[in-house]
Amino acid sequence: MRVTSVAEVNPIKIALLAVLLLPAALLSPQAAADGVRHDDNFQAAHEAYEASDYAKAARLLQLAVEQRPRDAEIHLLLAKTYYESQRYDAAVASAEKAVALDPQSSLYHEWLGKVYGEKASHASMFSALSLAKKARKEFEKAVELDEKNFSAYQALIEFDCSAPGIAGGGEDKARPEIARLAALDTAEGHYAAGNCRRQKKDFTAADAEFAQALELHPKSVELVYDIGDYAMKQAQVQTLLIVAEQGETIAPSDPRSQFYRAVALIIKDERSDDSERLLREYLKRAPLRSSFPPPWRVHEWLGRLYENQRNSQAAIQEYEAALKLEPKNKNVREALKRLKKG
């Protein structure tokens, strides 16, 4: 399931004046050790989350929950933190709490569906079926509460395109959903149609739909970069360059434009110095986030870059770095065998 774009929780909550004036001696030992006041825990946790320090974020959020147990935003950020830490049971518990506290929030239902879906992908067959049904129910509820929550709409459509009827899915459900979404936003509709064709491995139709989506300049940077991920796997250079340009326009500080532009240059075997620089900068700037290309992927592309340059030793080093981070990468294993034989 693709990672959908979601609105971030508010990064700063205004502290109560009375609590701000509390002396440090009244703070908990853990809060003092982290160098923050109790009412700063949520802000500090958000900063830790953005810095990909999920262990620190979880610790601070647990302190924040102790102070404000009925604050749904805290539970949502805790769910996201556990999700990125691959602690899916804990993510489900936090997301369920957020929904219980604010059942009218489309965003909270979307995230509960997302963590149910991720937990399902790591569960036994029997448990996965139950969790999948729960995921669809939450995505459907999120759309019911806010039809312009397009990321929830995309998640619902993707589920119905990819999941069998026994799990509650079915392309017969997806087709009218795509039509309704397209009526709200044409670019989102073309992306949804393309993503559905991708699930069915009809790549020619997916290519056409994704091209139309990009021609309409979608507003969602996550949508654009998901097309970039598809284009990378299909070695579509021109699409990658369009993705990099549009993504940079939508979110200039997002480093993913550097990654996808570098990939296009490596496939073309052009401007090797630029592509290496872009990938190195991406490694420094990108968060360790499920919606961002992971470090092992960067090392894999650096390996391909050095292979293009006939620099076998450097390529082997990068492929080995990629394999260390992702031992199941068959492409990297094959590349290493090829280089070491040579």
Side-chain angles (χ1 to χ4, degrees):
M1 183 173 291
R2 85 176 180 103
V3 179
T4 57
S5 60
V6 293
E8 293 291 339
V9 295
N10 292 333
I12 300 174
K13 283 205 161 187
I14 301 173
L16 295 173
L17 179 60
V19 180
L20 282 175
L21 296 176
L22 283 175
L26 295 183
L27 298 177
S28 71
Q30 184 62 57
D34 287 323
V36 294
R37 295 182 298 270
H38 259 247
D39 281 321
D40 289 335
N41 284 327
F42 183 79
Q43 178 184 345
H46 190 276
E47 292 169 355
Y49 177 88
E50 290 299 320
S52 307
D53 189 346
Y54 300 119
K56 181 178 180 181
R59 185 173 69 249
L60 291 167
L61 287 166
Q62 287 161 0
L63 291 171
V65 165
E66 289 176 8
Q67 276 216 287
R68 296 193 293 275
R70 299 191 60 77
D71 190 322
E73 281 193 58
I74 296 174
H75 290 285
L76 175 65
L77 186 54
L78 193 52
K80 293 169 67 177
T81 298
Y82 288 139
Y83 178 88
E84 296 296 343
S85 305
Q86 300 181 8
R87 298 173 60 185
Y88 301 120
D89 287 340
V92 165
S94 293
E96 286 178 338
K97 185 65 174 177
V99 166
L101 289 167
D102 187 356
Q104 297 306 305
S105 169
S106 174
L107 176 63
Y108 296 171
H109 283 283
E110 177 190 359
W111 262 94
L112 181 53
K114 184 174 179 177
V115 296
Y116 277 147
E118 196 61 39
K119 184 177 177 180
S121 68
H122 294 83
S124 65
M125 186 178 297
F126 180 78
S127 297
L129 183 60
S130 174
L131 288 163
K133 290 179 179 179
K134 287 183 177 181
R136 189 192 185 280
K137 181 179 178 182
E138 294 302 325
F139 292 141
E140 188 173 42
K141 184 64 176 179
V143 172
E144 178 187 318
L145 289 168
D146 181 5
E147 67 175 5
K148 292 189 177 180
N149 181 347
F150 293 149
S151 59
Y153 227 137
Q154 295 289 0
L156 176 62
I157 291 168
E158 180 172 328
F159 183 98
D160 286 338
C161 278
S162 59
I166 193 173
E171 196 173 355
D172 58 322
K173 294 181 179 179
R175 282 191 287 268
E177 291 164 354
I178 291 170
R180 288 194 293 271
L181 177 58
L184 295 169
D185 187 293
T186 309
E188 292 275 349
H190 281 298
Y191 170 84
N195 193 29
C196 191
R197 300 330 306 157
R198 169 169 59 178
Q199 305 302 322
K200 302 301 182 183
K201 301 190 184 302
D202 182 357
F203 299 125
T204 300
D207 290 347
E209 295 289 353
F210 287 153
Q212 287 183 279
L214 290 174
E215 285 176 7
L216 293 166
H217 296 273
K219 301 178 183 69
S220 166
V221 72
E222 299 298 337
L223 186 157
V224 169
Y225 284 135
D226 187 62
I227 294 176
D229 194 62
Y230 170 82
M232 174 183 67
K233 293 170 183 175
Q234 301 294 320
Q236 297 172 345
V237 171
Q238 192 57 38
T239 301
L240 284 165
L241 292 173
I242 293 170
V243 160
E245 180 180 353
Q246 290 195 12
E248 192 171 33
T249 299
I250 298 169
S253 63
D254 192 315
R256 283 175 288 186
S257 61
Q258 296 175 305
F259 175 82
Y260 290 109
R261 185 171 284 111
V263 168
L265 293 174
I266 292 169
I267 294 172
K268 291 175 70 177
D269 195 10
E270 293 179 357
R271 294 163 52 192
S272 58
D273 289 346
D274 287 341
S275 54
E276 181 177 15
R277 174 182 56 80
L278 290 167
L279 287 177
R280 297 290 182 193
E281 288 180 1
Y282 175 82
L283 272 178
K284 292 178 182 177
R285 296 180 55 212
L288 298 174
R289 199 69 45 78
S290 54
S291 54
F292 282 68
W296 65 262
R297 182 73 78 183
V298 181
H299 288 294
E300 179 182 7
W301 280 102
L302 283 168
R304 287 190 58 174
L305 169 65
Y306 292 135
E307 266 203 276
N308 288 348
Q309 296 176 331
R310 309 286 196 278
N311 187 343
S312 296
Q313 184 177 358
I316 287 171
Q317 289 177 347
E318 293 297 336
Y319 285 140
E320 286 179 340
L323 199 61
K324 185 176 180 180
L325 294 169
E326 180 45 76
K328 296 180 181 180
N329 189 320
K330 294 180 180 179
N331 291 334
V332 169
R333 286 187 180 277
E334 291 173 2
L336 281 170
K337 287 180 182 178
R338 179 176 65 249
L339 286 171
K340 290 180 177 179
K341 281 182 181 178

